[in-house]
């Protein structure tokens, strides 16, 4: 018996969320007293693959010739290698979100997405998951033999459990159901969905020319930048930065909202953040009801001060 | 070309979420139900393709009679006909089975669903349908052009977008970008009038779920927001550093 964790790489390096998923899967494998195996698609060097051992993975099946976007073939391979698996664990990347439901149908294994807890009952795979855009937690269970679990990036900590990881390379090359023509990466250095810190700004910033200080602050904190919907609608910032109900959902450790009113549709995409800071001239701004720390003040005064103070502690 | 849009009926985003019967059921009392926001993009895209490519646009919804206002609205926006599978959508799998069964009997070239329902946030139905029908699938799709039997698509990936080409039939989980928000169609008077005479077929299905919803709770409410003076940003940084330990 085993637990299988899906790991995802980008340009040959594992995403941080893969290590989170492995750490999480390692705990499940301990609860169920099973081995922990991993599966990886796309070219990843042996040295990188063996890093999975640091998180408790004892064996990784690597498919260097299968494009991870090819959800038809990845699903089939996972199904094949999950024959004796009790659970298959994914971190919620966009690609994982294509595979997990396909796999659930293929294996007739209950899919639990956005899981926020460890296993609550080992007999029937009981978990809590986020629903209603983080406004509620749903307790769900499945009676199927296997379960498929997806967790959100940043929801669980990376935990070390050093063991040696055996690498099994499978050279299969298969026809895909579609052709990947190419990709374009966003300008930001850090992927918004995986960032531990997000610096976000809204219409209170008055114009695109004022984002210099937002980027400077983000750089200092190794953070990704985000924005409210109107800001991307007017074209001050790229659409890829739009967070909220109709944009991306993010769950960093720290979310700093600068000149954002805190409309319910905005909060729906950010309220799973562990700590939120609001900076707003209006003491009545709804964001202060959701935030952990608040500063009533002008962004053009507060943000430069914040930059100075962070520089001090960074030194 | 035959296009199917999958529509889920969800509480309006500004709704207060409550539960009844000992926190086992969603409390629909006083809730305004709307077309799932991600499905609105797919629906408008479908209407545009219909106008441009002379396609036929069918809408499908799995739900009991209470979802009819939402599906009528879909007809008013521009679907030619609609199908309601009369069944409580108790999990993603049983919902996907119901839709896939319908498609097996009534094939479509292009099936447009949303990337997720804004209520249960499963993000699962279109991927499951893809497996059940053994057709290609792309999620978080934010661009689609159709040229005869070929489609070019873009999908969101973590940190960028990816471009894909494929042949029909295909199923996508759509989102903003399929069309822009400013292009979203809303029902006009004529649409509302003609919707009344458009066919709305009701079919039965009782596919079995894999999962069971046990209960709901609300996340612990956050403590009071700690207010810090704009003259004391040093204190904010120190709290984030030593108390919250996030920087
Ligand atoms: C169906 C639907 C979906 C939506 N989806 C989203 C979504 O996904 N994401 C999203 O963000 N919004 C969404 N919205 C829009 C949302 O309702 C709000 O309109 C939007 O979030 C407001 O953006 P904002 O806070 O930047 O702007 P505003 O509401 O204009 O707020 C600007 C804030 O800046 C403050 N301010 C002004 N000057 C300064 C200064 N110098 N320093 C500091 N603060 C200052 C003001 O006090 C104000 O609170 C959606 C709306 C609908 C109807
Ligand atoms: N009850 C339903 N009836 C029809 N389509 C649905 C239903 N539930 C979900 N869908 C479709 O599947 C997409 C993803 O939903 P979900 O998997 O529930 O998050 C939605 O955006 C809809 O397009």
């Amino acid at each position: 018996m085993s637990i299988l964790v899906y790991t995802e790489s980008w340009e040959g390096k594992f995403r941080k969320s893969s290590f989170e998923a492995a750490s999480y899967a390692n705990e499940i494998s301990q609860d169920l007293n099973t081995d922990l195996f991993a599966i990886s698609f796309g070219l990843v060097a042996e040295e990188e693959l063996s890093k999975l051992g640091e998180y408790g993975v004892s064996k990784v099946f690597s498919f260097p010739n299968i494009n991870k976007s090819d959800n038809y073939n990845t699903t089939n391979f996972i199904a094949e290698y999950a024959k004796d698996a009790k659970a298959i664990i994914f971190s919620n990347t966009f690609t994982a979100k294509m595979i997990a439901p396909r796999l659930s149908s293929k294996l007739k294994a209950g899919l639990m997405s956005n899981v926020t807890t460890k296993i609550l009952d080992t007999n029937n795979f009981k978990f809590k998951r986020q629903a209603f855009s983080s406004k509620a937690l749903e307790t769900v269970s499945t009676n199927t033999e296997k379960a498929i679990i997806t967790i959100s990036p940043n929801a669980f900590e990376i935990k070390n459990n050093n063991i040696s990881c055996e690498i099994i390379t499978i050279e299969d090359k298969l026809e895909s159901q579609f052709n990947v023509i190419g990709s374009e990466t966003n300008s930001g250095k850090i992927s918004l969905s995986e960032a531990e810190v997000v610096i976000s700004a809204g219409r209170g910033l008055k114009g695109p020319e004022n984002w210099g200080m937002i980027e400077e602050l983000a750089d200092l904190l190794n953070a990704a930048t985000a924005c409210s919907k109107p800001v991307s609608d007017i074209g001050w910032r790229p659409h890829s930065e739009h967070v909220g109900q109709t944009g991306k959902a993010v769950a960093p450790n720290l979310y700093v909202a600068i000149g954002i009113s805190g409309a319910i549709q905005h909060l729906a995409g950010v309220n799973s953040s562990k700590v939120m800071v609001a900076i707003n001239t209006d003491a009545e701004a709804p964001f202060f009801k959701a935030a952990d720390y608040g500063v009533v003040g002008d962004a053009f005064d507060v943000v430069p001060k914040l930059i100075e103070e962070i520089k001090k502690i960074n030194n | 070309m035959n296009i199917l849009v999958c529509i889920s009926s969800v509480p309006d985003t500004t709704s207060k979420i409550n539960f009844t019967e000992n926190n086992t059921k969603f409390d629909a009392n006083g809730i305004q139900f709307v077309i799932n926001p991600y499905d609105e993009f797919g629906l408008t895209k479908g209407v545009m393709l219909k106008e441009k490519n002379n396609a036929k646009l069918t809408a499908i919804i799995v739900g009991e009679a209470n979802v009819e206002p939402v599906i009528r609205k879909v007809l008013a926006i521009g679907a030619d006909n609609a199908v309601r599978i009369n069944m409580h959508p108790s999990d993603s799998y049983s919902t996907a089975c119901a839709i896939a069964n319908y498609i097996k009997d009534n094939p479509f070239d292009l099936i447009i669903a949303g990337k997720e329902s804004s209520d249960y946030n499963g993000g699962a139905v279109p991927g499951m349908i893809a497996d059940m029908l053994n057709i290609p699938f792309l999620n978080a799709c934010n661009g689609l052009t159709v040229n005869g039997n070929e489609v070019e698509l873009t999908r969101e990936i973590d940190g960028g977008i990816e471009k894909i080409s494929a042949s029909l039939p295909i199923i996508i989980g759509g989102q903003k970008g399929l069309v822009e928000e400013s292009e979203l169609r809303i029902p006009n008077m004529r649409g509302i009038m003609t919707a009344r005479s458009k066919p709305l077929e009701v079919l039965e299905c009782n596919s079995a779920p894999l999962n069971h919803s046990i209960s709901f709770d609300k996340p612990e409410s956050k403590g009071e927001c700690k207010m810090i003076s704009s003259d004391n940003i040093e204190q904010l940084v120190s709290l984030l550093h030593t108390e919250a330990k996030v920087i």
Side-chain angles (χ1 to χ4, degrees):
Chain A
M1 278 231 294
S2 64
I3 300 294
L4 186 64
V5 60
Y6 164 84
T7 56
E8 193 172 306
S9 55
W10 177 247
E11 293 174 346
K13 296 269 180 263
F14 282 123
R15 292 184 182 280
K16 190 187 86 193
S17 59
S18 296
F19 298 138
E20 289 167 1
S23 304
Y24 176 82
N26 186 44
E27 289 192 23
I28 304 272
S29 74
Q30 284 168 0
D31 288 344
L32 297 179
N33 210 357
T34 68
D35 292 323
L36 173 60
F37 300 152
I39 196 158
S40 157
F41 298 97
L43 192 60
V44 182
E46 294 224 338
E47 190 193 343
E48 183 74 9
L49 288 167
S50 64
K51 275 190 191 157
L52 292 171
E54 293 170 29
Y55 312 100
V57 174
S58 62
K59 200 189 275 183
V60 53
F61 305 103
S62 168
F63 293 79
N65 302 321
I66 300 290
N67 186 329
K68 60 180 178 285
S69 305
D70 176 8
N71 56 77
Y72 172 75
N73 283 317
T74 53
T75 302
N76 286 348
F77 279 121
I78 297 173
E80 196 179 320
Y81 283 78
K83 283 217 174 85
D84 81 331
K86 280 297 285 172
I88 304 111
I89 316 274
F90 292 83
S91 174
N92 258 341
T93 64
F94 281 104
T95 301
K97 284 182 186 174
M98 296 202 289
I99 304 170
R102 271 198 109 128
L103 187 67
S104 165
S105 161
K106 189 165 190 69
L107 297 175
K108 306 238 173 343
L111 166 65
M112 291 171 223
S113 52
N114 317 324
V115 165
T116 59
T117 59
K118 290 177 48 174
I119 192 161
L120 301 175
D121 180 344
T122 47
N123 295 323
N124 61 0
F125 286 118
K126 192 159 125 191
F127 292 89
K128 283 193 191 194
R129 63 179 296 271
Q130 273 175 336
F132 296 94
S133 305
S134 311
K135 285 190 261 184
L137 290 170
E138 181 188 21
T139 304
V140 276
S141 76
T142 183
N143 294 328
T144 55
E145 223 173 280
K146 299 178 197 298
I148 295 168
I149 296 154
T150 77
I151 60 172
S152 304
N154 289 320
F156 295 95
E157 272 175 50
I158 293 182
K159 289 198 186 130
N160 278 77
N161 179 354
N162 253 315
I163 60 170
S164 79
C165 179
E166 182 190 351
I167 298 168
I168 296 172
T169 303
I170 298 115
E171 297 284 353
D172 291 20
K173 215 175 170 159
L174 292 175
E175 187 90 357
S176 170
Q177 284 189 329
F178 49 63
N179 303 311
V180 177
I181 308 169
S183 63
E184 278 169 24
T185 42
N186 297 331
S187 49
K189 288 167 216 129
I190 294 163
S191 135
L192 185 51
S193 40
E194 282 189 303
E196 285 176 30
V197 178
V198 172
I199 307 295
S200 188
R203 208 145 54 173
L205 245 67
K206 314 279 190 270
E209 66 282 5
N210 296 324
W211 251 264
M213 62 181 186
I214 302 297
E215 283 176 352
E216 187 181 353
L217 179 59
D219 274 349
L220 279 174
L221 293 171
N222 209 8
T225 48
C227 68
S228 67
K229 177 169 117 65
V231 163
S232 67
D233 284 349
I234 340 168
W236 293 356
R237 299 296 293 175
H239 280 298
S240 54
E241 287 197 359
H242 160 199
V243 293
Q245 176 75 59
T246 47
K248 274 197 188 68
V250 294
N253 292 336
L254 173 62
Y255 183 81
V256 183
I258 302 163
I260 298 177
S261 56
I264 191 158
Q265 298 92 349
H266 184 86
L267 294 176
V270 304
N271 58 11
S272 306
S273 309
K274 293 201 188 84
V275 174
M276 293 203 282
V277 175
I279 300 169
N280 199 303
T281 42
D282 176 7
E284 301 298 317
F287 218 118
F288 289 121
K289 293 208 174 66
D292 302 276
Y293 301 97
V295 179
V296 177
D298 188 331
F300 298 98
D301 167 46
V302 175
V303 176
K305 285 186 192 161
L306 193 52
I307 291 173
E308 286 320 305
E309 292 301 331
I310 289 169
K311 277 186 183 157
K312 282 188 204 159
I313 65 158
N314 275 3
N315 283 331
Chain B
M1 182 162 77
N2 277 318
I3 305 173
L4 182 69
V5 284
C6 305
I7 302 291
S8 76
S9 156
V10 299
D12 175 61
T13 34
T14 54
S15 310
K16 287 252 179 311
I17 300 299
N18 288 306
F19 301 97
T20 58
E21 298 180 34
N22 236 336
N23 286 329
T24 57
K25 294 245 149 45
F26 174 68
D27 184 357
N29 226 324
I31 298 277
Q32 163 94 32
F33 282 86
V34 297
I35 303 172
N36 179 33
Y38 298 111
D39 300 345
E40 279 191 272
F41 294 102
L43 172 61
T44 299
K45 184 73 194 185
V47 174
M48 289 176 169
L49 286 170
K50 171 187 139 176
E51 290 166 353
K52 205 171 133 237
N53 300 24
N54 231 339
K56 180 172 183 225
L57 183 64
T58 303
I60 190 166
I61 190 160
V62 180
E64 288 160 340
N66 57 351
V67 303
E68 287 215 353
V70 163
I71 201 74
R72 281 281 168 212
K73 192 172 165 196
V74 169
L75 288 169
I77 290 174
D80 296 309
N81 65 311
V83 177
R84 176 169 72 82
I85 311 282
N86 185 33
M87 175 187 119
H88 175 66
S90 59
D91 78 341
S92 320
Y93 183 78
S94 55
T95 305
C97 279
I99 299 173
N101 282 342
Y102 176 77
I103 301 172
K104 276 177 194 158
D105 296 335
N106 305 273
F108 289 89
D109 304 298
L110 174 64
I111 302 149
I112 309 178
K115 78 165 178 183
E116 74 177 30
S117 304
S118 68
D119 51 1
Y120 288 87
N121 308 123
V125 167
M128 289 175 169
I129 296 174
D131 177 71
M132 292 166 186
L133 300 176
N134 197 16
I135 55 174
F137 165 55
L138 267 205
N139 200 24
C141 184
N142 54 10
L144 161 67
T145 48
V146 181
N147 295 310
N149 201 33
E150 301 297 309
V151 279
E152 280 210 58
L153 308 119
T154 54
R155 74 166 178 119
E156 186 167 5
I157 55 175
D158 297 82
I161 58 161
E162 189 171 64
K163 295 180 184 174
I164 306 270
S165 69
S167 304
L168 297 174
I170 192 169
I171 179 165
I172 62 167
Q175 59 169 339
K176 186 171 91 171
L178 275 183
V179 302
E180 288 313 317
E181 246 160 313
S182 53
E183 299 174 296
L184 286 178
R185 302 282 175 98
I186 49 168
N188 57 25
M189 216 9 143
R190 197 170 148 263
I192 296 167
M193 299 302 287
T194 50
R196 291 193 191 139
S197 56
K198 286 180 178 172
L200 169 55
E201 195 180 355
V202 179
L203 300 172
E204 299 295 326
C205 180
N206 48 10
S207 46
L210 298 178
N211 288 354
H212 310 280
S213 179
I214 300 170
S215 62
F216 295 90
D217 45 288
K218 296 210 195 157
E220 283 163 41
S221 57
K222 291 216 168 188
E224 281 277 290
C225 180
K226 261 192 200 168
M227 298 307 289
I228 294 135
S229 156
S230 62
D231 295 325
N232 198 359
I233 298 304
E234 188 182 350
Q235 188 198 0
L236 173 65
V237 171
S238 131
L239 285 169
L240 292 177
H241 189 55
T242 55
E243 186 181 78
K245 299 193 170 59
V246 286
I247 60 172

